[in-house]
Amino acid sequence: MDINMAEQRVKELHDTLNKYSYEYYVMDQPSVPDSEYDRLLKELNEIEEKFPGLRTPDSPTQRVGGAVLDAFQKVRHDTPMLSLGNAFNEADLRDFDRRVEQLVGHSSYSYVCELKIDGLAVALKYKDGLFVQGATRGDGTTGEDITANLKTIHSIPLRLKKPLTMEVRGEAFMPKQSFIALNAIRDEKGEEPFANPRNAAAGSLRQLDPRIAASRNLDIFLYGIANPGPLGIEAHSEGLNLLDSLGFKTNKERRVCKTIDDVISYVKEQSDKRTTLPYEIDGIVIKVDSLDQQDELGFTAKSPRWATAFKFPAEEVVTKLTGITLSVGRTGVVTPTALLQPVRVAGTTVGRASLHNEDLIREKDIRIGDMVVVKKAGDIIPEVVSVLVDRRTGAEEEFHMPDHCPECESELVRLEEEVALRCINPQCPAQIREGMTHFVSRNAMNIEGLGEKVIAQLYREKLITDVADLYTLSKEELVKLERMGEKSADNLLAAIETSKQNSLERLLFGLGIRHVGAKAAKTLAMEFGTMDRLKETSAEELTAIHEIGGKMADAVVLYFDQPEVAELIGKLKASGVKMAYEGPIRTILAEGESPFAGKIVVLTGKLSQLTRTEAKDRIEALGGNVTGSVSKKTDLVVAGEEAGSKLEKAEKLGIDIWDEQRLMDELTK
Ligand code: IVH
């Protein structure tokens, strides 16, 4: 590929990737599978590696490109980032409206109501359409430059749809589901959990290594333009529409309200819907729509007179903590859980709340028998907020973590820098069961009908000792289990059978290799193509991959060094579990359209855009059969640079010969 072709292709890839990203992250309407995005991103990265001059700051590959920083630079805001006055009830809202009415001199006005997203305020600067700087609010006058971390948020466009120079403001946040998943992982790793999604978002954006922010699944809603005057718009609502048209993500729940009664109905409506949203909100922001009227109203020392924030009351209830139970996770972490007298909070009945670790129990001085305040963090996860010390009777008991594993009785250890206690016995039945439950879970092998309870039974009955045993279960064995009818047994066996065809990344994730999450598993599967290739890799080869750090590389190598692992993988393979990455292409090209279907293909010479294994896997995913030597049976030879005798032989036999570009074109058609 020459530089002109490369430049052209880079442009195409930018456009396509930006389009896919916009559809996925901003519109929430993906038009292609993730794997297609990943494949094009990889192609772009490879071209950029060959032609570094083509790597621009707005390239989709540059979302996680930033170096690890020593400290954040300070940023002075050109327009200060103000806070808002509060309203806590209907009367406060009517007072606000009266003040507005008096100040705009009884001419007509309307409001824009928006959700008050519970995250952290950020300012994004664009120069001629290019994202150049992102900062925190800080004290309102000076914040910190967190550009590299913000770039990892996919819904922030790196280039606008028009070449404008402007500053926009919005709220970066962590969706509830991501918060829950993150805390579950932190518990497993023995790390301190985040108290709520806002702290999790703030903690993620204050990391000096952008890879951490990148792994946190943050998102953003833009809610304003710092200095809208020069853009020729007259109302805040127009500004929000402009943000939409430039490619930003704005919140669609906003509404223009003509009267304070309409505002009050909106507040009520949203207050009822609050727990169903996928992100946390802590209130409603009400803003005068007309920009002229905003100017007229002006500011007090701290906040604009043209806006106010209605704050929702946090739903907290009081109940009795009747006991504390312990559970052992997949990695051996022992987690204490509070047993509560069942109580209604934010729409559901709560009977348990994780206490995470002993430090947290000490910090909050939680004792068995205490009356405690309970709320839902992230509107979902029950949490013990505090203890009502005044209500103690003297009968409460302090709780101490045991010295020994509640499951296998081996001694618990506290690893350096961890808050958690761990059982480090690899034979601990709880860990084995949890590991198996993880293996069959939705993001891993996705075997429906195999919950924690069935796994526990199978394990207790010694029908399975490791995950490979799942593949040799028989119907006779299954129907003997409690509550397992013929039909469920058949369904379960079918689900187990289907899981054999999963693409490699599911298996890799399911194996529970330390530090390898679902995303990393996907990267590994794509890069290596097969388990056999991955098994032989080195830490150097792994760290050369963009998204893979030293810790993960070491963990992967260490994992495959274990003889038990080799045995397990051998067993899985023998049962017919697929050990290869299912190229993304199969999903895009219908069968029969493939130029490789039924063909015998030989690869020779050096390939520059993909590895031999990748080429082989992708040709095979399209129905071709890749062999090593050229004969009369060969249908096609792909000849890379410096191809030698195989090419000569192919020429002599009159076999079809493609160069690498032709192969790439056919693979990406
Ligand atoms: S407008 C001058 N709109 O709430 C007006 N703020 O005290 C500036 N927030 O820290 C804010 N959602 O980060 C506005 N839709 C929204 C918001 C919002 C959340 C945050 C903002 C600020 C605080 C207001």
Side-chain angles (χ1 to χ4, degrees):
M1 189 188 286
D2 67 17
I3 178 97
N4 291 324
M5 274 172 73
E7 196 172 356
Q8 175 61 28
R9 182 71 184 141
V10 163
K11 198 180 162 309
E12 283 167 17
L13 287 167
H14 277 205
D15 289 347
T16 313
L17 286 163
N18 285 339
K19 174 173 168 284
Y20 290 164
S21 220
Y22 181 76
E23 290 169 346
Y24 187 97
Y25 292 103
V26 180
M27 304 306 289
D28 206 8
Q29 278 171 353
S31 67
V32 294
D34 292 5
S35 53
E36 177 62 3
Y37 182 90
D38 293 347
R39 188 176 66 77
L40 296 181
L41 186 70
K42 187 156 179 259
E43 183 188 345
L44 178 59
N45 207 17
E46 281 166 1
I47 300 178
E48 289 176 348
E49 251 155 41
K50 253 171 92 189
F51 302 101
L54 297 178
R55 179 170 278 162
T56 53
D58 63 334
S59 167
T61 62
Q62 296 308 290
R63 290 220 176 252
V64 205
V68 179
L69 305 173
D70 294 327
F72 295 116
Q73 298 292 316
K74 293 268 177 267
V75 175
R76 228 187 129 77
H77 299 300
D78 300 330
T79 322
M81 292 182 80
L82 300 172
S83 60
L84 294 174
N86 290 324
F88 294 98
N89 48 45
E90 199 179 311
D92 291 350
L93 285 173
R94 293 196 186 275
D95 282 348
F96 167 72
D97 181 52
R98 258 190 295 280
R99 286 196 300 275
V100 170
E101 187 180 7
Q102 275 167 11
L103 286 164
V104 297
H106 302 279
S107 48
S108 79
Y109 56 91
S110 50
Y111 294 112
V112 181
C113 295
E114 295 167 23
L115 303 185
K116 187 169 184 300
I117 312 295
D118 200 8
L120 75 157
V122 296
L124 312 177
K125 273 190 187 165
Y126 287 81
K127 191 165 182 300
D128 301 326
L130 180 69
F131 176 48
V132 288
Q133 188 184 66
T136 59
R137 174 172 184 272
D139 62 6
T141 313
T142 310
E144 287 180 321
D145 184 334
I146 53 164
T147 312
N149 285 338
L150 288 171
K151 272 188 159 184
T152 68
I153 301 181
H154 287 265
S155 45
I156 294 183
L158 299 181
R159 184 170 289 282
L160 301 181
K161 294 185 177 174
K162 287 181 206 149
L164 296 181
T165 295
M166 67 193 303
E167 181 176 328
V168 297
R169 305 253 165 106
E171 195 85 351
F173 63 96
M174 181 176 287
K176 290 174 187 171
Q177 286 302 340
S178 312
F179 162 72
I180 293 163
L182 175 62
N183 265 0
I185 294 172
R186 290 177 76 84
D187 275 350
E188 274 294 338
K189 285 189 177 166
E191 295 169 355
E192 199 72 63
F194 288 109
N196 52 49
R198 174 168 27 83
N199 288 6
S204 305
L205 287 173
R206 294 210 72 268
Q207 295 284 335
L208 294 164
D209 181 352
R211 275 187 301 201
I212 300 181
S215 72
R216 293 282 170 84
N217 197 17
L218 300 170
D219 204 344
I220 191 168
F221 285 121
L222 280 305
Y223 55 62
I225 300 170
N227 182 13
L231 297 169
I233 47 176
E234 290 177 359
H236 175 65
S237 53
E238 268 179 60
L240 293 173
N241 295 341
L242 175 67
L243 291 178
D244 281 334
S245 69
L246 291 172
F248 289 109
K249 182 162 176 168
T250 63
N251 192 285
K252 300 297 177 289
E253 300 285 335
R254 63 179 179 260
R255 185 182 300 164
V256 176
C257 292
K258 292 229 173 300
T259 66
I260 198 68
D261 287 325
D262 291 349
V263 169
I264 290 164
S265 323
Y266 177 86
V267 167
K268 288 208 177 100
E269 229 175 88
Q270 293 297 342
S271 164
D272 291 341
K273 269 170 61 179
R274 179 182 175 194
T275 51
T276 65
L277 292 170
Y279 42 83
E280 268 208 339
I281 61 172
D282 58 344
I284 302 293
V285 181
I286 299 123
K287 305 172 184 175
V288 169
D289 195 17
S290 151
L291 297 184
D292 279 347
Q293 286 174 339
Q294 285 190 4
D295 280 346
E296 227 174 292
L297 285 156
F299 301 85
T300 68
K302 282 195 308 216
S303 52
R305 286 197 195 88
W306 44 263
T308 193
F310 178 89
K311 289 276 186 68
F312 290 137
E315 198 177 343
E316 294 189 339
V317 296
V318 174
T319 190
K320 186 170 182 166
L321 190 150
T322 54
I324 293 178
T325 83
L326 297 166
S327 59
V328 185
R330 174 163 65 92
T331 60
V333 172
V334 181
T335 321
T337 300
L339 300 176
L340 305 167
Q341 221 156 53
V343 61
R344 289 285 292 181
V345 52
T348 62
T349 301
V350 166
R352 297 162 80 93
S354 175
L355 297 172
H356 301 289
N357 56 65
E358 191 170 19
D359 285 9
L360 216 116
I361 298 175
R362 286 286 94 73
E363 224 169 82
K364 294 185 175 169
D365 187 22
I366 294 170
R367 302 183 192 174
I368 297 167
D370 268 336
M371 295 306 288
V372 291
V373 177
V374 174
K375 70 160 189 187
K376 281 194 187 157
D379 288 338
I380 299 185
I381 301 292
E383 182 194 318
V384 176
V385 183
S386 59
V387 171
L388 299 180
V389 180
D390 292 352
R391 308 251 312 247
R392 283 199 174 140
T393 62
E396 295 77 15
E397 283 170 49
E398 273 193 39
F399 171 81
H400 292 280
M401 289 291 275
D403 301 327
H404 291 86
C405 175
E407 181 83 27
C408 72
E409 291 181 356
S410 52
E411 199 168 337
L412 298 178
V413 295
R414 190 167 179 150
L415 299 181
E416 220 177 311
E417 288 177 29
E418 289 196 349
V419 286
L421 277 176
R422 273 179 200 273
C423 166
I424 54 167
N425 167 19
Q427 304 304 331
C428 171
Q431 287 179 56
I432 295 175
R433 280 195 319 262
E434 290 292 322
M436 295 197 208
T437 308
H438 170 73
F439 182 83
V440 303
S441 66
R442 203 149 54 105
N443 289 330
M445 295 300 270
N446 192 23
I447 304 180
E448 231 176 286
L450 249 191
E452 215 162 318
K453 293 214 173 89
V454 181
I455 295 262
Q457 268 194 74
L458 289 168
Y459 184 68
R460 199 175 341 113
E461 302 295 330
K462 301 206 170 52
L463 292 171
I464 53 174
T465 55
D466 62 29
V467 291
D469 292 339
L470 290 171
Y471 292 96
T472 53
L473 285 171
S474 68
K475 188 167 170 183
E476 294 70 53
E477 287 170 331
L478 285 178
V479 290
K480 282 189 211 133
L481 301 179
E482 288 159 34
R483 281 194 292 279
M484 177 72 74
E486 294 239 346
K487 185 104 203 329
S488 322
D490 284 337
N491 288 345
L492 181 51
L493 285 172
I496 292 174
E497 189 60 29
T498 308
S499 77
K500 289 183 183 172
Q501 295 310 318
N502 283 336
S503 182
L504 179 61
E505 63 273 23
R506 287 185 171 273
L507 175 60
L508 284 178
F509 177 57
L511 288 172
I513 306 167
R514 277 203 82 180
H515 305 298
V516 179
K519 181 104 200 290
K522 176 100 176 274
T523 304
L524 291 173
M526 280 181 61
E527 288 288 334
F528 291 89
T530 63
M531 184 72 94
D532 285 340
R533 262 286 287 124
L534 178 63
K535 231 164 52 183
E536 303 304 329
T537 188
S538 63
E540 292 73 45
E541 192 179 12
L542 283 163
T543 42
I545 299 167
H546 197 55
E547 296 95 336
I548 296 183
K551 246 190 185 170
M552 199 198 299
D554 289 343
V556 170
V557 173
L558 197 69
Y559 180 79
F560 286 109
D561 266 353
Q562 303 171 89
E564 304 83 39
V565 168
E567 198 185 315
L568 178 69
I569 290 173
K571 265 171 87 177
L572 286 165
K573 206 179 209 171
S575 316
V577 175
K578 178 170 280 163
M579 301 267 158
Y581 175 59
E582 276 283 284
I585 298 178
R586 188 187 291 270
T587 55
I588 289 165
L589 213 68
E591 305 234 341
E593 279 177 60
S594 162
F596 302 102
K599 297 235 169 104
I600 297 179
V601 185
V602 172
L603 300 170
T604 180
K606 272 192 206 147
L607 299 178
S608 60
Q609 303 187 46
L610 14 91
T611 66
R612 217 30 115 70
T613 324
E614 281 167 338
K616 179 172 189 286
D617 288 344
R618 286 174 57 177
I619 292 169
E620 290 187 343
L622 288 170
N625 194 349
V626 177
T627 63
S629 59
V630 177
S631 74
K632 270 191 271 178
K633 287 195 195 137
T634 310
D635 295 303
L636 170 66
V637 169
V638 177
E641 296 279 308
E642 297 165 37
S645 61
K646 287 184 195 173
L647 175 59
E648 273 171 34
K649 191 162 175 195
E651 280 167 344
K652 249 189 237 148
L653 291 170
I655 295 169
D656 247 3
I657 298 168
W658 291 0
D659 62 7
E660 182 176 359
Q661 194 50 50
R662 173 82 191 274
L663 172 68
M664 290 313 294
D665 292 346
E666 296 287 346
L667 284 175
T668 49
K669 245 185 199 167

